[in-house]
């Protein structure tokens, strides 16, 4: 059992000044090497700004930077905000990332301190410290967000003009000039040097010596004007550089020496280096690619089978889009962005498994056609292909095949070029990267809280709990998952408080992961996201790799949190309050407690108290109020943030459930005839909507509740289990007419010319997950239809078949006159 840790909130409770902001003018303590600390007469904790308890030098040592993110390839210049040195001295600034990687910073003419991000082999939040004494001490600390190269804005990198030509250069009909462009203002210098860098992973695969390595190869151009474009005719690289087949170009200031690391730079996308390959490739690219494809196959034979530990694909597009805890949109094939699915042309949407597989760091991909059918590689080259290296990488990132983007390129993308794009041998690739056919997929379980607030548990129980305080929505000891929420009273249009409450903050943590909180922002009334009690900015990035989770923000009004266990949260702003949806995989069954109920398929025990006592389903609203109060958060385990004196005095110092707040209970609401008519027109039979109109006097609040409940119901419908019978092969020397494998689907089989069908012409997927008939055989020999076409030349096939049928039946004595029974 893990020892209990004293949370920061409890420390604040024991050390914070009483009635208001504590004075810091006389505080002598410093934030030097204390960022995040709460102890002492002044604070270096992220909450201190709102509380007015910061040490005087808080901003000098707990650094804010701009920009705060950039490509993990490095080369981004950023400025330390709110801090200036007394005397600018070039060469004295050293920036250290992850305690081991150092880059040379500088002080500009205005005294601002600059750092340059290094070449990294990972994405996510990277801690860094700054020294102003040539590395003798590093008292200042901050965080840099390293981003997957494909998630970096186009302003921050160089563009390969017509990138497809770059990656097909030297194959049939692809020759001539190649060009790249960049934004001049992104690299302020008169002249630039353009370099080629290559990527490789060396050492025995899956051994301790397996290492990722970027290498400077050679210059493409030196000391050329920084015009924003460069055009050249590629020549095959010398033999010593031919082993690098994937890489990227880097543009740097010409004052830096060739290959100098960790200087301000612009990178292109990583890509297949077809344009730099040998004359052998250009003379016969198909033969060259086939040799590489075969070598890749031989390597795959020696590597472990990673497919066995991948999650099963959802069976339908609706399931894939609804299961947002375990699957996320593949940016290369996104129906919402109308993207062209280059590698899956028959698909309209693909998703990737959010988490890499635990042992091999591999990833699942699932693709779907316009009608929602899953596409399989056994049927089409557009089918989804799993990845030996997850495209987004996985901790510990630097160890192959866990390097974001690059490991995926080496083991999954480059081989696709060999076998499918540069040579017509795609079946060989698809055999090694077969789609999962979803027979083992189990949809997650969904629970929601929204409106005034109303709850729908994992087992489908509906109830309303209008408490004022902080409550446990979910606890699951299986992974030490905790989801907590704060509920506050609403206000009417004239500013008075209502007798209803709504969720204004939701916080989550799993195990020793980061803590993420989503809350209503006081000033903008939009969403505000906090990471470990500090407010996050999404001005530059809408996706963040965090400790134990991924975080995505869509359109500023919806936040998705994807946890390592496969659990997921979606928090959105609907009306005046938050709406929360929680998704749990099947493994959480029987492991949950809290306001969202006991996940076990039995709705009768959803009102389980902390003591284990169960309230019956017919419990009155007033008794349910006591059930909700029982799940109040304890200060010692609170995940929520108290960074204003309002929150400190109203939620930290006071009972977590306010016993003095008297809510409006269902059944006690009344509306005047005019309001009742409007509510009935808006809400219909939605009792949640009707209650919220009565409780708040606001049709818009009721409508927001109605919309939230409809979204829950639609997602529940999308997540309904379906039965798949799995892939059914076409007969050799024949074909089938459908790629649908769900219950109720029927497949028709046909033979090629010169073959006749032996076996059932159709097979139907049955409710028990089995096919009604196996795949038939196509035997050599002409079918009756073909024979009749020869014998009765002028007759139609139907007429010929009819005639033979009549002749056969007469021969057997089965009929005497056409159309009569024997």
């Amino acid at each position: 059992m893990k020892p209990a840790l004293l949370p920061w909130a409890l420390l604040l409770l024991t050390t914070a000044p009483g009635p208001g902001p504590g004075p810091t003018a006389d505080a002598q303590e410093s934030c030097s090497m204390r960022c995040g600390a709460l102890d002492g007469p002044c604070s270096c904790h992220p909450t201190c700004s709102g509380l007015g308890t910061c040490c005087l030098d808080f901003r000098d040592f707990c650094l804010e930077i701009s920009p705060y993110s950039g490509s993990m390839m490095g080369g981004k210049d950023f400025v330390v905000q709110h801090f200036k040195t007394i005397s600018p001295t070039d060469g004295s600034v050293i920036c250290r990332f992850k305690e081991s990687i150092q880059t040379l910073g500088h002080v500009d003419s205005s005294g601002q301190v600059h750092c340059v991000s290094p070449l990294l082999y990972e994405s996510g939040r990277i801690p860094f410290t700054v020294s102003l004494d040539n590395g003798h001490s590093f008292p200042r600390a901050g965080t840099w967000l390293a981003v997957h190269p494909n998630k970096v804005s186009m302003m921050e990198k160089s563009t390969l003009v017509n990138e497809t030509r770059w990656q097909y250069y030297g194959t049939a009909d692809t020759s001539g000039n190649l060009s790249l462009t960049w934004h001049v203002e992104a690299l302020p210098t008169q002249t630039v040097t353009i370099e080629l860098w290559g990527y490789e992973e060396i050492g025995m695969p899956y051994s301790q010596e397996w290492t990722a390595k970027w290498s400077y190869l050679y210059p493409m151009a030196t000391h050329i004007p920084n015009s924003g474009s460069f055009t050249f005719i590629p020549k095959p690289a010398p033999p010593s550089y031919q082993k690098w087949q994937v890489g990227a170009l880097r543009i740097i200031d010409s004052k830096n020496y060739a290959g100098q690391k960790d200087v301000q730079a612009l990178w292109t996308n990583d890509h297949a280096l077809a344009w730099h390959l040998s004359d052998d490739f250009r003379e016969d690219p198909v033969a060259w690619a086939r040799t590489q494809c075969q070598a890749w196959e031989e390597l795959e034979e020696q590597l472990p089978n990673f497919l066995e530990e991948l999650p099963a694909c959802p069976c339908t597009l609706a399931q894939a889009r609804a299961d947002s805890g375990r699957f996320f949109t593949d940016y290369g094939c996104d129906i919402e962005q109308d993207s062209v699915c280059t590698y899956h042309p028959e698909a309209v949407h693909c998703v990737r498994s959010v988490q890499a597989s635990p042992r091999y760091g591999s990833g699942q991909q699932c693709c779907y056609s316009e009608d929602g059918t899953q596409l399989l590689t056994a049927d089409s080259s557009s089918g989804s292909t799993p990845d030996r290296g997850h495209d987004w990488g996985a901790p510990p990132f630097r160890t192959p095949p866990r390097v974001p983007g690059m490991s995926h390129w080496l083991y999954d993308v480059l081989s696709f070029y060999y076998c499918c794009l540069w040579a017509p041998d795609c079946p060989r690739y698809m055999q090694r990267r077969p789609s999962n056919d979803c027979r083992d997929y189990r949809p997650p379980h969904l629970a929601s809280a929204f409106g005034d607030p109303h709850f729908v548990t994992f087992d489908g129980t509906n109830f309303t709990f209008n408490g004022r305080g902080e409550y446990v929505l979910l606890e699951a000891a299986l992974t030490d998952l905790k989801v907590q929420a704060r509920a506050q009273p609403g206000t009417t249009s004239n500013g008075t408080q209502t007798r209803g409450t709504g969720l204004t903050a939701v916080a989550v943590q799993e195990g020793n992961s980061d803590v993420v909180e989503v809350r209503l922002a006081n000033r903008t009334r939009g969403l505000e996201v906090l990471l470990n009690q500090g407010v996050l900015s999404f001005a530059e990035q809408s996706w963040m790799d965090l400790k134990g989770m991924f975080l995505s923000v869509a359109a500023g009004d919806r936040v998705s949190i994807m946890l390592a266990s496969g659990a997921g949260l979606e928090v959105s702003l609907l009306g005046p309050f938050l709406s929360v949806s929680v998704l749990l995989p099947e493994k959480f069954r029987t492991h949950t407690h809290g306001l969202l109920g006991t996940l076990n398929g039995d709705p009768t025990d959803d009102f389980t108290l902390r003591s284990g006592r169960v309230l019956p389903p017919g419990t009155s609203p007033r008794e349910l109020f006591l059930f909700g109060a029982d799940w109040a958060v304890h200060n010692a385990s609170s995940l929520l943030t108290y960074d204003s004196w309002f929150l400190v005095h109203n939620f930290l110092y006071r009972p977590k459930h306010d016993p003095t707040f008297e809510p409006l209970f269902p059944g006690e609401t009344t509306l005047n005839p005019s309001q009742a008519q409007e509510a009935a027109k808006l809400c219909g039979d939605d009792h949640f909507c009707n209650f919220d109109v009565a409780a708040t006097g606001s049709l818009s609040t009721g409508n927001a509740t109605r919309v939230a409940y409809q979204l829950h119901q639609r997602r529940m419908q999308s997540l309904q289990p379906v039965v798949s019978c799995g892939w059914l092969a076409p007969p050799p020397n024949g074909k089938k007419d459908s790629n649908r494998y769900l219950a109720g689907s029927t497949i028709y089989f046909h033979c090629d010319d010169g073959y006749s069908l032996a076996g059932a012409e159709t097979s139907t997927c049955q409710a028990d997950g089995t096919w009604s008939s196996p795949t038939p055989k196509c035997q050599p020999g002409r079918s009756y239809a073909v024979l009749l076409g020869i014998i009765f030349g002028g007759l139609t096939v139907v007429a010929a078949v009819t005639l033979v049928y009549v002749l056969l039946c007469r021969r057997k004595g089965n009929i005497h006159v056409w159309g009569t029974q024997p």
Side-chain angles (χ1 to χ4, degrees):
M1 185 174 179
K2 293 192 299 186
L5 299 177
L6 186 67
W8 74 271
L10 192 57
L11 189 58
L12 177 61
L13 185 63
T14 60
T15 61
T24 59
D26 296 330
Q28 298 302 312
E29 291 206 16
S30 170
C31 284
S32 175
M33 305 184 75
R34 288 185 61 242
C35 288
L38 187 66
D39 57 304
C42 61
S43 172
C44 302
H45 191 272
T47 57
C48 73
S49 295
L51 295 171
T53 58
C54 296
C55 297
L56 292 177
D57 61 4
F58 174 66
R59 286 192 166 186
D60 288 341
F61 288 95
C62 303
L63 305 179
E64 294 180 28
I65 60 175
S66 179
Y68 64 77
S69 67
S71 171
M72 69 180 207
M73 298 300 294
K76 189 68 172 289
D77 176 86
F78 61 86
V79 178
V80 177
Q81 300 288 317
H82 316 301
F83 172 74
K84 292 186 178 181
T85 61
I86 299 174
S87 56
T89 53
D90 287 335
S92 64
V93 179
I94 296 177
C95 309
R96 186 167 65 187
F97 297 78
K98 295 197 70 175
E99 297 297 323
S100 59
I101 305 170
Q102 294 190 171
T103 66
L104 189 64
H106 72 278
V107 179
D108 64 21
S109 58
S110 66
Q112 287 189 309
V113 175
H114 292 246
C115 291
V116 175
S117 64
L119 170 61
L120 297 163
Y121 292 79
E122 63 184 281
S123 58
R125 289 168 59 86
I126 309 296
F128 76 94
T129 53
V130 176
S131 169
L132 298 181
D133 57 9
N134 282 317
H136 294 292
S137 64
F138 289 84
R140 296 169 172 82
T143 303
W144 170 253
L145 182 63
V147 180
H148 188 297
N150 284 347
K151 292 187 172 74
V152 174
S153 75
M154 297 308 296
M155 287 290 295
E156 298 181 37
K157 56 186 177 183
S158 175
T159 301
L160 303 175
V161 178
N162 193 349
E163 189 168 333
T164 301
R165 289 193 73 242
W166 285 74
Q167 304 192 115
Y168 276 81
Y169 197 92
T171 62
D173 303 321
T174 308
S175 59
N177 295 333
L178 293 178
S179 298
L180 65 153
T181 60
W182 63 92
H183 293 273
V184 174
E185 60 273 19
L187 191 62
T189 181
Q190 293 297 313
T191 60
V192 296
T193 293
I194 301 175
E195 307 169 332
L196 175 63
W197 287 63
Y199 179 80
E200 61 183 330
E201 292 180 356
I202 53 180
M204 180 68 67
Y206 301 101
S207 71
Q208 294 291 328
E209 292 75 34
W210 205 10
T211 304
K213 186 178 180 182
W214 275 100
S215 301
Y216 164 72
L217 302 186
Y218 52 82
M220 305 294 300
T222 59
H223 295 87
I224 63 172
N226 185 13
S227 63
S229 66
F230 174 66
T231 299
F232 69 106
I233 297 178
K235 296 180 180 179
S240 58
Y241 296 112
Q242 289 295 317
K243 70 172 183 175
W244 285 282
Q245 295 173 12
V246 62
L249 298 179
R250 187 180 79 152
I251 307 173
I252 60 173
D253 190 330
S254 293
K255 72 179 181 182
N256 300 305
Y257 63 79
Q260 185 174 347
K261 289 186 176 181
D262 306 327
V263 295
Q264 190 173 358
L266 297 176
W267 292 82
T268 66
N269 282 340
D270 36 78
H271 59 281
L273 302 179
W275 55 273
H276 114 129
L277 294 178
S278 65
D279 285 326
D280 290 346
F281 173 75
R282 297 190 181 190
E283 290 169 2
D284 194 343
V286 171
W288 185 95
R290 277 184 163 147
T291 300
Q292 299 296 324
C293 180
Q294 182 177 349
W296 170 76
E297 277 191 300
E298 293 171 355
L299 174 63
E300 285 287 308
E301 286 284 351
Q302 303 169 31
L303 300 180
N305 181 8
F306 69 92
L307 300 173
E308 296 173 350
E309 66 169 1
L310 292 180
C313 279
C315 292
T316 66
L317 176 58
Q319 286 179 335
R321 299 184 71 186
D323 191 353
S324 56
R326 292 182 291 182
F327 294 92
F328 197 81
T329 299
D330 184 338
Y331 47 76
C333 186
D334 182 358
I335 193 172
E336 293 184 5
Q337 301 297 325
D338 293 323
S339 59
V340 178
C341 302
T342 304
Y343 299 123
H344 309 275
E346 296 173 31
V348 297
H349 194 71
C350 294
V351 295
R352 292 187 183 275
S353 57
V354 171
Q355 303 292 339
S357 65
R359 184 175 182 186
Y360 297 120
S362 303
Q364 184 65 278
Q365 185 193 47
C366 315
C367 294
Y368 302 87
S369 62
E370 190 171 8
D371 64 2
T373 300
Q374 187 192 5
L375 296 173
L376 305 181
T377 52
D379 295 322
S380 166
S381 60
S382 293
S384 49
T385 52
D387 305 318
R388 181 172 291 280
H390 195 299
D391 187 24
W392 304 337
F397 289 97
R398 190 174 181 118
T399 305
R402 297 172 177 267
V403 179
M406 301 315 304
S407 293
H408 176 56
W409 255 105
L410 278 188
Y411 302 104
D412 305 298
V413 181
L414 197 57
S415 47
F416 186 80
Y417 276 81
Y418 296 153
C419 304
C420 296
L421 301 183
W422 295 343
D425 285 351
C426 215
R428 297 167 68 180
Y429 181 86
M430 298 303 175
Q431 185 178 5
R432 302 287 178 177
R433 296 290 185 268
S435 303
N436 175 277
D437 66 8
C438 92
R439 278 179 293 177
D440 296 326
Y441 176 73
R442 300 293 178 268
H445 300 272
L446 175 67
S448 296
F450 49 85
D452 206 27
H454 311 290
F455 297 83
V456 184
T457 70
F458 292 107
D459 290 338
T461 301
N462 298 346
F463 70 98
T464 297
F465 168 60
N466 275 289
R468 179 194 183 279
E470 296 172 351
Y471 304 95
V472 174
L473 296 187
L474 170 65
E475 285 182 351
L478 178 71
T479 62
D480 196 17
L481 171 61
K482 298 181 287 289
V483 182
Q484 301 172 359
R486 177 180 295 138
Q488 295 176 248
T491 55
T492 63
S493 57
N494 61 13
T496 60
Q497 283 194 351
T498 68
R499 290 179 62 192
T501 61
L503 302 185
T504 58
V506 177
V508 60
Q509 183 181 36
E510 186 172 50
N512 65 346
S513 77
D514 285 329
V515 177
V516 167
E517 179 178 345
V518 184
R519 69 184 183 186
L520 289 176
N522 287 331
R523 295 180 180 177
T524 63
R525 300 305 294 172
L527 291 184
E528 189 172 63
V529 183
L530 295 88
L531 174 65
N532 302 326
Q533 287 79 51
V535 177
L536 282 176
S537 168
F538 290 91
E540 297 174 24
Q541 300 296 330
S542 61
W543 174 278
M544 292 189 185
D545 303 3
L546 305 177
K547 182 182 179 183
M549 63 179 71
F550 293 98
L551 180 65
S552 173
V553 173
D557 61 0
R558 188 174 77 252
V559 178
S560 296
I561 304 164
M562 295 146 275
L563 301 166
S565 64
L569 271 77
E570 284 201 4
V571 184
S572 56
L573 179 59
L574 285 172
F577 299 120
L578 301 180
S579 176
V580 184
S581 295
V582 182
L583 294 156
L584 293 183
E586 180 69 18
K587 66 184 179 182
F588 281 91
R589 181 179 287 268
T590 74
H591 291 286
T592 72
H593 304 284
L595 294 184
L596 296 181
T598 306
L599 170 58
N600 59 5
D602 179 8
T604 64
D605 64 357
D606 278 345
F607 303 138
T608 300
L609 302 174
R610 271 192 162 108
S611 65
R613 185 166 71 90
V614 178
L615 303 182
T619 298
S620 71
R622 287 186 176 271
E623 290 175 307
L624 283 178
F625 190 69
L626 299 178
F627 160 71
D630 187 61
W631 282 105
V633 171
H634 298 145
N635 262 337
S637 58
S638 176
L639 303 177
L640 293 154
T641 303
Y642 310 93
D643 56 355
S644 71
W645 288 105
F646 172 84
L647 294 175
V648 169
H649 289 306
N650 286 276
F651 293 97
L652 184 62
Y653 286 172
R654 293 176 63 176
K656 289 300 186 182
H657 170 74
D658 184 354
T660 67
F661 181 77
E662 178 72 14
L664 191 67
F665 291 103
E668 299 178 359
T669 59
T670 57
L671 290 170
N672 64 47
S674 174
Q675 288 177 317
Q677 186 176 6
E678 289 180 317
K681 183 178 179 181
L682 171 68
C683 302
D685 59 357
D686 186 333
H687 59 285
F688 289 150
C689 173
N690 279 296
F691 176 84
D692 285 3
V693 173
T696 65
S698 168
L699 286 171
S700 64
T701 298
N703 186 55
T705 297
R706 181 181 65 87
V707 170
Y709 190 31
Q710 287 177 341
L711 289 173
H712 171 87
Q713 292 173 313
R714 282 201 290 269
R715 178 169 274 192
M716 282 293 296
Q717 185 61 38
S718 295
L719 290 172
Q720 288 301 304
V722 296
V723 174
S724 171
C725 293
W727 181 69
L728 190 62
N733 303 307
K735 54 185 175 292
K736 59 185 182 184
D737 71 345
S738 175
N739 295 330
R740 292 173 172 265
Y741 307 118
L742 303 185
S745 300
T746 297
I747 291 178
Y748 290 79
F749 300 99
H750 310 276
C751 291
D752 298 337
D753 289 345
Y755 293 86
S756 60
L757 201 66
E761 184 183 6
T762 66
S763 188
T764 300
C765 180
Q766 302 172 118
D768 64 356
T770 62
W771 290 101
S772 61
S773 302
T775 298
K777 295 181 179 179
C778 287
Q779 298 178 336
R782 299 182 184 275
S783 64
Y784 280 128
V786 175
L787 287 171
L788 291 171
I790 297 172
I791 297 171
F792 300 102
L795 296 175
T796 65
V797 170
V798 173
V801 170
T802 302
L803 180 57
V804 169
Y805 174 76
V806 171
L807 293 174
L808 288 175
C809 289
R810 283 181 174 173
R811 180 181 177 188
K812 295 180 179 180
N814 289 336
I815 61 172
H816 302 282
V817 179
W818 180 255
T820 65
Q821 297 297 318

